[in-house]
Amino acid sequence: MSNFSVDELLNTCKGLLPPAKEAGACLQLICDSLKEQVPHYDWVGFYFAVPEQRLLVLGPFSGAPTEHTQIPYGRGICGQSAATERTLVVPDVSAESNYLSCSLQTRAEYVEPIILNGVYVGQIDIDSHTKDPFSDKDAFLLSGVASMVAPLVNQVFSP
Ligand code: SME
């Protein structure tokens, strides 16, 4: 479960930042790296915020295609995180009534807000096929990645 190095992964992600790669390609590579390197990450994606419409729009992701390309604030785990601008960790999605299923295999979900200069701009969403897989390592990793990518969101997406 915890067979990954937070420092190595943060360094990998840092090495993928512009100008090494254009911002959209960088976000895609970060999704791909996280999904590939962390055994319990089965879907990794970015959702971007459209504050005026209180809507999340799917950005780069790695994993199976999802029908949830737009999610209103408040709906599902992602929408609840957007509405509160808080990290949400759901160890067992079957125990959650306000949940939007992307895959029947998903057992757990982690949503990390992306904040740029105090403004909520989107989130990183992780789905896991393993029940209760998340620890402090995921919290360190995902908060680090969120801070790292925050300046890129406006380059990739304008609401
Ligand atoms: N499960 C999420 C929807 C997004 S997918 O996981 C990609 C939710 O409940 O908001």
Side-chain angles (χ1 to χ4, degrees), residues 59-142:
F61 67 93
S62 187
T66 173
E67 63 186 283
H68 301 298
T69 55
Q70 299 201 340
I71 301 176
Y73 284 19
R75 291 216 47 214
I77 316 289
C78 295
Q80 291 178 71
S81 173
T84 56
E85 301 183 7
R86 294 294 183 93
T87 302
L88 270 187
V89 188
V90 179
D92 177 5
V93 294
S94 70
E96 177 64 50
S97 54
N98 188 0
Y99 166 67
L100 302 170
S101 174
C102 278
S103 157
L104 292 175
Q105 289 177 288
T106 300
R107 294 283 169 272
E109 182 155 353
Y110 195 116
V111 181
E112 180 67 25
I114 303 173
I115 311 283
L116 179 64
N117 301 326
V119 177
Y120 177 82
V121 293
Q123 62 184 217
I124 306 169
D125 180 24
I126 309 286
D127 286 1
S128 179
H129 295 172
T130 306
K131 200 165 157 182
D132 196 10
F134 302 116
S135 70
D136 283 354
K137 287 183 73 176
D138 301 277
F140 285 123
L141 175 63
L142 296 171

